[in-house]
């Protein structure tokens, strides 16, 4: 054992000599420190702040040590009530029921306009309360947003009601999405309904996706010890985490990072698949109508040596925002062959922290505890030991996806393959083409350089005539060996460290690959087809990760692996998927100006129509075939109307439209969308009539 060095001995001595001083301090004494010191475990490091412009209404009072307070500290602008520029609402779960309904109406509008609703420590009942309050407000809030206009702008937005009650928006997409999300959040929770405990430390809802931080407090750790001869022993125990500024700060860092990503425009999300330009060569997962993204954050756990090496040789250490799983789903329906297609991505990031040799042990009463930026704790040279201990690195990962539901479900393909090299592949699931028609708004190049509207916006009609997928994953760490297996509708991946870390004598060891001690990224994708689909589908998503360390007690090398999953049931989550649009609707877009005689009307209309088509080739399309949830619902056309409104209210665009009226000597004209299909609803045996959506533009 003479090769082992004693770097840890000095750290133990220094740490123990500080124990009496620090343990005599109260949490408040430490949290009020004027600045960060390595020996202050209660200081909020503020590693991540919300850099986006997110004015937030904080309508609850948060304890200083809570995650809600930690997120509040990271915001640049906060108010105590909802204001005109508010983009996020931050509230305690326990305060949901006491807030007035008028406030939830404003919160619904913030959400529908792309803002956020953040809830700290919600219980099951709180989630149900919020869903009920928001669901009743979404329809009215959507209506108000669509018809809201500035009287001085010369543009008016109207929704003309049908004389048939069946024209109402029978399925509000946002209310249905919120209900599904809350069910998924509760399924993801590690607490039971009987516990009356929070289902999450925090959840944040937005139209771009939703975020969930696992509840803080008690965690069950499963540790397996493997001797060099292959003998294994496993034991489980619990650790109880106590709130302080530093812990809650780590959690809030993850939430702040998520908010920044959602506002950066650089991170892919489910909605981005809806706004990409479509043509005949696009794969169907570029056009999907049922899309969702869920981000789940929890701790990464490893076994590390303690300061009191004689009494506590090893103990669990956590990186509280170290494990992040993103599940993205895109789903689309093929009207011609009555099939659904789904593309599912499971993206894992395990943040070990990197090889940093400036770690610090911090004694915290009542016993030794570990605080550092990284779970990895040397050695940094081959065959050099630190008091007989070496760790930790990402050692293993087991992941799987399985779809369930009615109809004939077929797993079409999944990547990466066993060689872990496949990062992109086109998959034909029937025909070999993908034909689409896309409507939307292309405004690039038309506006002046000072325009507030830039780029382009396109929206697919929501179904596909094609039957091909494109699977594209990020490049997984090559230091991880990957084995993929498929069984029926289940795709499984098992990742393992490619280096034999048990190699050599007790005085010898290889170095852990850098890729497994930093941010370990794993990206799995699978595509399904469903023949004769009916209702919603679910996916069972399994995740289990292991960190490992080396330990050499009494000249007998052992590998310790730590996992936060006590058993497989704890790691399996059932997600309910959004239902793709399976009902086709035919809409007409027209321009009218009834103030002039028929002869003048017939002369001006072709010219104005041609001008609109030339200037706005994607905005003005006389014939629109759209998909929606049912024949009655109006989610898609309302979305298109809202996009048209956002385009037209741009000053440069509006000026162009006004100039058309003056050119053709008319005081105003109306662009409208209406449906004359009047299909018979098979369930109610009545004709389906839809509302008419109008935008009126005045010359002056």
């Amino acid at each position: 054992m003479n090769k082992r060095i004693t770097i840890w001995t000095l750290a133990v001595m220094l740490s123990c000599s500080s124990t009496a001083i620090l343990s005599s301090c109260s949490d408040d004494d430490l949290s009020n420190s004027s600045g960060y010191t390595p020996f202050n475990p209660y200081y909020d490091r503020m590693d991540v702040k919300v850099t986006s412009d997110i004015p937030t209404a904080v309508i609850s009072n948060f304890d200083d040590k809570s995650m809600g307070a930690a997120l509040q500290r990271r915001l640049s602008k906060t108010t105590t009530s909802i204001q005109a520029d508010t983009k996020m609402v931050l509230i305690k779960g326990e305060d949901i029921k006491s807030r007035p309904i008028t406030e939830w109406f404003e919160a619904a509008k913030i959400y529908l306009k792309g803002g956020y609703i953040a809830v700290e420590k919600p219980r099951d009942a709180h989630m149900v309360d919020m869903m009920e309050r928001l669901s009743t407000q979404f329809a009215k809030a959507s209506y108000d947003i669509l018809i809201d206009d500035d009287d001085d702008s010369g543009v008016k937005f109207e929704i003309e009601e049908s004389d048939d009650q069946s024209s109402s928006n029978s399925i509000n997409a946002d209310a249905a999405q919120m209900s599904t999300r809350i069910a998924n959040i509760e399924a993801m929770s590690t607490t039971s309904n009987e516990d009356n405990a929070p289902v999450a430390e925090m959840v944040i809802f937005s139209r771009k996706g939703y975020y969930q931080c696992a509840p803080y407090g008690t965690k069950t750790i499963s540790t397996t010890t493997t001797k060099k001869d292959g003998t294994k022993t496993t034991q489980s125990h619990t650790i109880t985490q106590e709130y302080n500024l530093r812990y809650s700060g780590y959690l809030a860092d993850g939430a702040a990072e998520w908010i920044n990503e959602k506002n950066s425009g650089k991170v892919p999300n489910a909605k981005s698949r809806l706004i990409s330009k479509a043509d005949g060569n696009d794969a169907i997962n570029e056009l999907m109508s049922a899309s969702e993204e869920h981000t789940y954050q929890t701790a990464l756990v490893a076994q590390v040596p303690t300061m009191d090496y004689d009494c506590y040789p090893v103990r669990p250490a956590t990186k509280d925002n170290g494990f992040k799983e993103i599940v993205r789903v895109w789903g689309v329906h093929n009207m011609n062959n009555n099939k659904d297609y789904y593309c599912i991505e499971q993206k894992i990031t395990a943040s070990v922290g990197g090889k940093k040799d400036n770690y610090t042990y911090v004694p915290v009463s009542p016993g030794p505890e570990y605080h550092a930026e990284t779970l990895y704790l040397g050695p940094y040279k081959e065959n050099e030991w630190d008091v007989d201990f070496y760790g930790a690195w990402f050692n293993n990962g087991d992941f799987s996806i399985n779809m369930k539901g009615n109809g004939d479900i077929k797993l079409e393909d999944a990547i990466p393959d066993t060689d872990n090299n496949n990062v992109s592949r086109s998959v034909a699931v029937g025909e070999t083409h993908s034909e689409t028609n896309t409507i939307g708004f292309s405004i690039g190049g038309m506006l002046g350089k000072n325009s507030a509207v830039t780029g382009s916006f396109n929206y697919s009609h929501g179904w596909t005539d094609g039957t091909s997928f494109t699977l594209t994953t990020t490049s997984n760490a090559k230091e991880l060996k990957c084995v993929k297996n498929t069984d029926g509708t289940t795709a499984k991946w098992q990742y393992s460290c490619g280096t034999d870390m048990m190699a050599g004598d007790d005085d010898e060891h290889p170095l852990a690959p850098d890729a497994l001690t930093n941010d370990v990224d794993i990206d799995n994708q699978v595509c399904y087809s469903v023949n004769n689909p009916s209702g919603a589908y679910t996916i069972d998503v399994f995740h289990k990760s292991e960190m490992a360390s080396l330990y050499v007690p009494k000249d007998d090398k052992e590998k310790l692996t730590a996992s936060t999953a006590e058993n497989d049931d704890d790691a399996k989550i059932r997600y309910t998927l959004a239902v793709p649009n399976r009902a086709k609707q035919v809409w007409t877009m027209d321009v009218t100006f009834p103030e002039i005689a028929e002869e003048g009307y017939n002369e001006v209309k072709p010219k104005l129509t041609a001008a609109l088509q030339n200037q706005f080739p994607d905005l003005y399309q006389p014939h629109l075939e759209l998909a929606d949830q049912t024949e009655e619902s109006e989610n898609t056309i309302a979305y298109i109307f809202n996009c048209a409104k956002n385009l037209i209210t741009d000053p440069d665009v509006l000026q162009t439209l006004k100039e058309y009226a003056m050119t053709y000597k008319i005081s105003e004209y109306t662009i409208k969308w209406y449906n004359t299909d009047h299909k018979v609803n098979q369930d109610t045996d009545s004709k389906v009539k839809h509302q008419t959506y109008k935008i009126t533009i005045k010359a002056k």
Side-chain angles (χ1 to χ4, degrees):
M1 308 291 279
N2 55 0
K3 292 184 182 180
R4 297 175 196 152
I5 61 177
T6 57
I7 297 174
W8 295 78
T9 305
L10 179 60
V12 171
M13 293 173 62
L14 290 174
S15 301
C16 291
S17 67
S18 305
T19 304
I21 298 173
L22 289 179
S23 61
S24 66
C25 300
S26 68
D27 287 4
D28 291 336
D29 293 334
L30 292 169
S31 65
N32 290 331
S33 170
S34 59
Y36 167 72
T37 66
F39 292 100
N40 185 349
Y42 301 102
Y43 182 79
D44 184 354
R45 297 174 58 94
M46 299 282 285
D47 287 333
V48 183
K49 295 183 180 180
V50 177
T51 56
S52 306
D53 180 25
I54 310 290
T56 301
V58 183
I59 56 178
S60 291
N61 294 318
F62 295 96
D63 181 271
D64 284 344
K65 299 176 185 178
S66 68
M67 185 178 176
L71 181 58
Q72 184 176 350
R73 289 193 292 270
R74 284 156 172 75
L75 299 167
S76 59
K77 181 180 179 181
T78 61
T79 57
T80 56
S81 61
I82 296 177
Q83 309 291 325
D85 65 343
T86 298
K87 294 183 181 178
M88 183 164 75
V89 176
L90 178 58
I91 185 174
K92 285 182 180 178
E94 63 189 37
D95 291 342
I96 287 174
K97 202 167 187 176
S98 64
R99 307 304 298 191
I101 198 66
T102 53
E103 196 170 62
W104 283 109
F105 176 69
E106 295 301 323
K109 290 204 290 186
I110 290 169
Y111 176 87
L112 294 173
K113 290 179 179 179
Y116 304 85
I117 299 175
V119 187
E120 190 211 46
K121 292 186 180 64
R123 294 181 171 86
D124 285 299
H126 301 153
M127 289 281 88
V128 173
D129 286 340
M130 189 184 72
M131 179 176 62
E132 290 177 348
R133 281 158 175 73
L134 284 175
S135 296
T136 58
Q137 301 302 314
F138 276 141
K140 186 177 185 302
S142 299
Y143 181 84
D144 277 18
I145 291 171
L146 289 176
I147 65 171
D148 179 51
D149 60 79
D150 183 352
D151 293 337
D152 297 330
S153 66
V155 60
K156 184 178 181 181
F157 305 96
E158 296 177 273
I159 301 178
E160 186 179 280
E161 299 287 342
S162 167
D163 57 2
D164 192 304
Q165 292 298 318
S166 66
S167 67
S168 62
N169 190 351
S170 61
I171 296 181
N172 183 279
D174 292 289
Q177 181 188 65
M178 185 65 70
S179 176
T180 299
R181 286 176 168 185
I182 288 175
N184 290 339
I185 287 169
E186 292 172 343
M188 198 74 177
S189 171
T190 56
T191 59
S192 65
N193 293 335
E194 292 76 16
D195 293 335
N196 196 29
V199 297
E201 199 61 33
M202 181 175 286
V203 295
I204 307 177
F205 296 96
S206 85
R207 275 185 142 182
K208 302 174 185 177
Y210 60 114
Y211 164 92
Q212 177 179 1
C213 180
Y216 202 66
T218 302
K219 298 187 185 306
T220 300
I221 309 299
S222 177
T223 303
T224 299
T225 302
T226 305
K227 295 185 178 296
K228 199 169 183 180
D229 62 7
T231 305
K232 294 184 177 182
T233 58
T234 300
Q235 55 183 225
S236 297
H237 61 284
T238 59
I239 60 173
T240 301
Q241 301 168 295
E242 296 181 3
Y243 283 102
N244 60 48
L245 293 180
R246 184 166 182 172
Y247 282 154
S248 61
Y250 278 132
L251 302 182
D253 281 344
E257 182 181 54
W258 181 84
I259 294 171
N260 288 335
E261 287 176 350
K262 293 298 108 184
N263 286 275
S264 68
K266 297 178 181 179
V267 177
N269 57 67
K271 289 296 182 184
S272 70
R273 299 291 177 127
L274 284 177
I275 61 175
S276 60
K277 179 70 175 176
D279 57 42
N281 296 320
D282 285 333
I284 61 177
N285 50 313
E286 291 295 325
L287 305 170
M288 297 189 174
S289 61
S291 28
E292 186 60 288
E293 176 186 290
H294 178 214
T295 300
Y296 176 75
Q297 174 189 305
T298 189
L300 196 63
V301 178
Q303 292 283 17
V304 299
T306 67
M307 298 157 302
D308 191 351
Y309 187 73
D310 292 332
C311 300
Y312 306 95
V314 294
R315 100 180 252 167
T318 62
K319 195 165 185 289
D320 296 298
N321 57 356
F323 183 88
K324 181 170 69 175
E325 178 183 64
I326 300 175
V327 174
R328 298 186 178 108
V329 181
W330 300 273
V332 71
H333 185 71
N334 188 312
M335 299 286 183
N336 296 331
N337 60 16
N338 193 26
K339 279 190 175 183
D340 280 354
Y341 302 101
Y342 298 90
C343 181
I344 300 160
E345 178 182 35
Q346 179 190 34
K347 186 174 178 61
I348 305 292
T349 300
S351 298
V352 182
K355 292 182 177 179
K356 301 175 183 177
D357 57 6
N358 60 344
Y359 49 79
T360 301
Y361 285 113
V362 181
V364 179
S365 180
E369 192 162 338
Y370 165 83
H371 296 273
E373 296 179 37
T374 175
L375 295 178
Y376 179 82
L377 296 174
Y380 303 94
K381 294 181 181 180
E382 193 169 13
N383 297 333
E384 289 188 357
W385 288 89
D386 293 343
V387 287
D388 308 340
F389 200 97
Y390 173 7
W393 67 92
F394 187 86
N395 182 67
N396 233 323
D398 290 325
F399 308 99
S400 68
I401 300 173
N402 182 30
M403 178 176 279
K404 297 180 179 180
N406 298 322
D408 180 16
I409 303 174
K410 180 182 179 183
L411 191 160
E412 296 289 351
D413 204 354
I415 60 173
D417 291 334
T418 297
D419 58 11
N420 198 13
N421 289 323
N422 296 105
V423 293
S424 181
R425 180 157 72 236
S426 179
V427 184
V429 289
E431 303 172 42
T432 58
H433 67 282
S434 178
E435 296 176 355
T436 66
N437 22 353
T438 301
I439 61 94
F441 316 103
S442 290
I443 54 181
M446 184 273 295
L447 303 178
K449 63 180 180 180
N450 296 322
S451 171
V453 180
T454 58
S456 62
F457 189 97
N458 296 277
Y459 182 78
S460 164
H461 55 55
W463 79 83
T464 182
D465 297 322
T467 50
S468 65
F469 278 95
T470 295
L471 296 180
T472 303
T473 73
T474 56
S475 180
N476 293 322
K478 295 302 183 289
E479 290 79 6
L480 281 174
K481 294 191 297 185
C482 175
V483 176
K484 182 189 81 172
N485 288 296
T486 57
D487 181 11
T489 56
T490 302
K492 297 180 180 180
W493 296 267
Q494 184 174 40
Y495 294 88
S496 58
C497 177
T499 303
D500 181 7
M501 300 300 291
M502 297 277 276
D505 296 331
D506 289 342
D507 286 341
E508 298 175 342
H509 63 78
L511 284 176
D514 289 346
L516 304 188
T517 62
N518 287 279
D519 286 351
V520 183
D521 292 317
I522 294 174
D523 196 354
N524 305 317
Q525 286 197 26
V526 60
C527 60
Y528 292 94
S529 66
V530 184
N531 210 6
N532 300 318
S534 174
Y537 290 83
T538 60
I539 52 172
D540 288 339
V541 178
F542 180 83
H543 62 244
K544 188 174 184 179
S545 61
E546 286 184 347
M547 296 288 293
S549 307
L550 281 182
Y551 180 42
V552 189
K554 298 180 181 180
D555 298 335
D556 188 8
K557 188 184 296 185
E558 298 176 350
K559 181 170 69 173
L560 289 77
T561 56
S563 171
T564 54
E566 184 177 8
N567 55 59
D568 288 352
D569 289 339
D570 293 337
K572 184 185 294 182
I573 305 301
R574 176 161 294 181
Y575 280 93
T576 300
L577 305 184
V579 177
N581 292 333
R582 296 174 182 149
K584 183 184 290 190
Q585 298 174 0
V586 179
W587 289 77
T588 298
M589 188 176 185
D590 197 9
V591 57
T592 61
F593 33 93
E595 62 181 337
I596 59 178
E598 182 176 353
E599 182 178 347
Y601 185 93
N602 293 337
E603 178 184 355
V604 171
K605 182 169 183 176
K607 294 178 181 179
L608 180 56
T609 299
L612 289 171
Q613 288 177 319
N614 290 334
Q615 190 73 60
F616 306 97
D618 290 332
L619 168 61
Y620 194 89
Q621 293 192 17
H623 179 77
L624 306 177
E625 291 185 348
L626 306 176
D628 216 314
Q629 291 289 294
T630 66
E631 293 174 347
E632 296 93 343
S633 58
E634 295 178 1
N635 296 305
T636 304
I637 192 64
Y639 182 82
I640 292 169
F641 181 72
N642 187 52
C643 293
K645 175 186 174 181
N646 292 337
L647 173 67
I648 288 172
T649 51
D650 175 83
D652 291 342
V653 176
L654 183 56
Q655 182 59 34
T656 300
L657 294 173
K658 288 183 177 182
E659 288 174 358
Y660 287 158
M662 291 184 285
T663 298
Y664 299 113
K665 295 181 175 56
I666 53 178
S667 62
E668 67 178 52
Y669 59 95
T670 299
I671 301 173
K672 64 180 181 179
W673 293 259
Y674 59 93
N675 183 301
T676 58
D677 205 16
H678 298 331
K679 292 182 180 178
V680 175
N681 185 301
Q682 296 178 355
D683 296 328
T684 62
D685 197 32
S686 62
K687 286 187 177 182
V688 176
K689 294 183 180 180
H690 289 276
Q691 300 168 139
T692 299
Y693 295 78
K694 297 180 178 181
I695 299 177
T696 300
I697 298 152
K698 297 182 180 180
K700 296 182 181 180

